[in-house]
Amino acid sequence: MLRLAIVFLIIALVAALFGFGGIAAGAAAIAKIVFFIAIILLLLSVIAGGFRGFK
């Protein structure tokens, strides 16, 4: 999922380079959302793994 955020970030950077403001803003927003979802899933996985180790 983090790879998907990086892909959208690259799309946003390329679109900004060519002057497509709307496309760049949309891709950057999607990249930000996907990145935060990946971070939340990572934290949940670490917490679940920590509880699994206490048995």
Side-chain angles (χ1 to χ4, degrees):
M1 189 175 278
L2 191 56
R3 188 179 318 181
L4 187 62
I6 292 170
V7 168
F8 277 111
L9 179 63
I10 292 171
I11 291 171
L13 291 174
V14 170
L17 180 70
F18 289 118
F20 300 117
I23 296 172
I30 292 172
K32 191 183 300 184
I33 291 169
V34 173
F35 176 75
F36 285 122
I37 290 173
I39 294 296
I40 290 170
L41 290 175
L42 173 73
L43 290 175
L44 289 175
S45 176
V46 167
I47 291 170
F51 284 129
R52 203 178 302 170
F54 288 122
K55 289 184 179 180

